[in-house]
Amino acid sequence: MWGPAEDAPAPVRPAPLIDPFQRAITYLRISVTDRCDFRCAYCMAEDMQFLPKRDLLTLEELDRLCGVFIDRGVRKLRITGGEPLVRRDIMHLFRRLSRHLRSGALDELTLTTNGSQLARFAPELSDLGVRRINVSLDTLDPRKFREITRRGDLSVVLAGIEAARAAGIKVKINAVALKGVNEDEIADMIAWAHGLGMDMTLIEVMPLGEIEGDRTDQFLPLSVARERLEQRFTLTPLPDRTGGPARYVRIEETGGRLGFITPLTHNFCESCNRVRLTCTGKLYMCLGQEDAADLRAALRASPDDALVTQAVVEAISRKPKGHDFVIERARPAAVPRHMSVTGG
């Protein structure tokens, strides 16, 4: 017989997920849908063929899989898409996952969004414990925004950002640097974002999925963008890390923070602590490689989590040291799946 509850031994937690290079996997990105209400020219073909809805994991299955990862030491969840907020009843998943924040098992629940649905959902996201989000926004020019997204309305996105800020959510702007498209307004976007107290991150275009154009025409090395920014701003390197691949600087003139994500000109894999789960239950151990584990089959084979946990552990044992992105191989795409499948 155990004595009083306080005398009982603490439950033994399962071993954390450690990859072959001794990196602890503490960050899971979950793509809840491959669908999006935009068709950004560097991300999707204009006439996209989306997955049949019957192939998607249910929200309950996504919740169950997240629980398996949290039990094995994952401390941060990022909900992505496509555009995650277009999935029907998506707030049901956020409500379920927020229990891990309340219990202390999870440090952070966040999302990446194009901002189109933020005005509608920001207050509830804040109530559920979402404290910061990433908004993908590549231009502040309404005409150019429409051209890049093929169907988006900049004013709607800006209203969504304001709604998130009003709800107490910290917003970071993610902008893909596009040669000949937005390279002339990057400095002004930084000044705008920092003026509203928002961090900003610049991202090199990635060779994921077939699109109508040639990504070598879109590719702007961030080393070039940085040199141009240094003609206007003073950039001071920072040691800050937020669990992702960005390297940060402080812009002395604005006091704000700027990140650089450089998968092509500077490999960021040495400290990778993340894996990606698709809406169909495929687990990708690396964004830039095609090896994946089918967790859906294990999930549906048994009502308990033993099989799926075994599948997760086996998959992490295959996590590679780094990706294979090379912009010169972008036609055809270095990786054939679109970013919307694996999550931005």
Side-chain angles (χ1 to χ4, degrees):
M1 294 286 294
W2 293 115
E6 58 269 25
D7 296 329
V12 177
R13 291 192 62 81
L17 297 169
I18 306 294
D19 79 1
F21 305 95
Q22 300 307 301
R23 297 172 297 195
I25 306 306
T26 59
Y27 180 7
L28 176 66
R29 301 172 69 108
I30 309 105
S31 175
V32 296
T33 179
D34 66 327
R35 295 171 186 266
C36 187
D37 47 352
F38 294 172
R39 298 289 185 275
C40 293
Y42 56 82
C43 179
M44 291 185 175
E46 187 162 11
D47 184 22
M48 281 291 292
Q49 298 299 310
F50 293 113
L51 294 166
K53 291 183 179 180
R54 64 178 179 274
D55 289 351
L56 273 59
L57 294 179
T58 67
L59 296 176
E60 289 74 20
E61 287 173 328
L62 287 166
D63 175 43
R64 182 179 159 197
L65 278 176
C66 288
V68 168
F69 280 91
I70 291 169
D71 284 345
R72 299 305 293 257
V74 162
R75 302 291 303 180
K76 175 178 177 179
L77 298 180
R78 179 177 295 278
I79 307 300
T80 71
E83 168 48 46
L85 297 180
V86 302
R87 174 147 183 185
R88 185 173 182 179
D89 296 328
I90 187 59
M91 295 309 296
H92 173 71
L93 180 62
F94 278 99
R95 292 181 203 112
R96 291 288 298 162
L97 294 176
S98 68
R99 74 189 186 277
H100 299 295
L101 291 173
R102 295 191 297 272
S103 73
L106 196 62
D107 293 333
E108 184 174 33
L109 174 62
T110 184
L111 75 150
T112 295
T113 174
N114 65 24
S116 67
Q117 308 297 314
L118 266 180
R120 174 184 175 191
F121 291 117
E124 185 174 6
L125 288 168
S126 178
D127 289 344
L128 292 173
V130 174
R131 296 291 171 255
R132 66 186 185 100
I133 63 174
N134 292 350
V135 176
S136 301
L137 178 63
D138 305 318
T139 179
L140 294 174
D141 180 320
R143 178 191 57 80
K144 201 180 294 183
F145 182 85
R146 179 66 115 176
E147 290 176 356
I148 292 172
T149 64
R150 296 191 177 111
R151 59 189 63 187
D153 184 334
L154 178 62
S155 65
V156 172
V157 172
L158 294 179
I161 290 171
E162 187 53 40
R165 295 176 63 240
I169 298 173
K170 186 174 180 61
V171 177
K172 179 169 73 71
I173 301 299
N174 284 349
V176 176
L178 298 166
K179 182 179 179 181
V181 178
N182 65 355
E183 57 183 315
D184 60 338
E185 60 175 314
I186 289 174
D188 289 338
M189 286 191 68
I190 293 169
W192 165 78
H194 289 178
L196 294 175
M198 301 185 295
D199 289 344
M200 182 165 159
T201 293
L202 295 174
I203 306 171
E204 287 177 337
V205 66
M206 299 185 195
L208 283 164
E210 284 299 302
I211 60 173
E212 284 85 355
D214 186 339
R215 285 195 178 89
T216 56
D217 294 334
Q218 301 173 335
F219 177 56
L220 175 67
L222 289 190
S223 56
V224 173
R226 181 167 179 158
E227 288 175 3
R228 295 174 183 171
L229 290 173
E230 287 173 335
Q231 297 173 15
R232 174 169 169 179
F233 298 125
T234 305
L235 279 56
T236 301
L238 295 172
D240 305 12
R241 298 302 299 271
T242 60
R247 303 297 192 270
Y248 289 96
V249 300
R250 181 173 61 250
I251 305 293
E252 298 297 343
E253 289 78 3
T254 66
R257 190 168 64 164
L258 176 67
F260 295 92
I261 296 181
T262 53
L264 297 168
T265 59
H266 180 269
N267 186 294
F268 49 62
C269 301
E270 68 278 358
S271 60
C272 183
N273 65 341
R274 69 205 70 90
V275 289
R276 286 173 163 83
L277 179 68
T278 75
C279 55
T280 61
K282 283 190 175 181
L283 182 70
Y284 284 91
M285 287 67 77
C286 175
L287 177 63
Q289 304 231 10
E290 278 294 83
D291 185 29
D294 181 6
L295 301 186
R296 183 176 64 183
L299 186 74
R300 294 178 176 176
S302 171
D304 67 50
D305 293 333
L307 284 178
V308 71
T309 299
Q310 180 182 348
V312 168
V313 171
E314 193 280 329
I316 300 303
S317 74
R318 306 200 309 266
K319 184 171 170 63
K321 188 172 184 179
H323 62 65
D324 287 332
F325 287 147
V326 178
I327 193 64
E328 287 76 12
R329 295 207 303 266
R331 293 289 297 170
V335 175
R337 70 181 185 278
H338 287 85
M339 176 67 88
S340 62
V341 173
T342 332

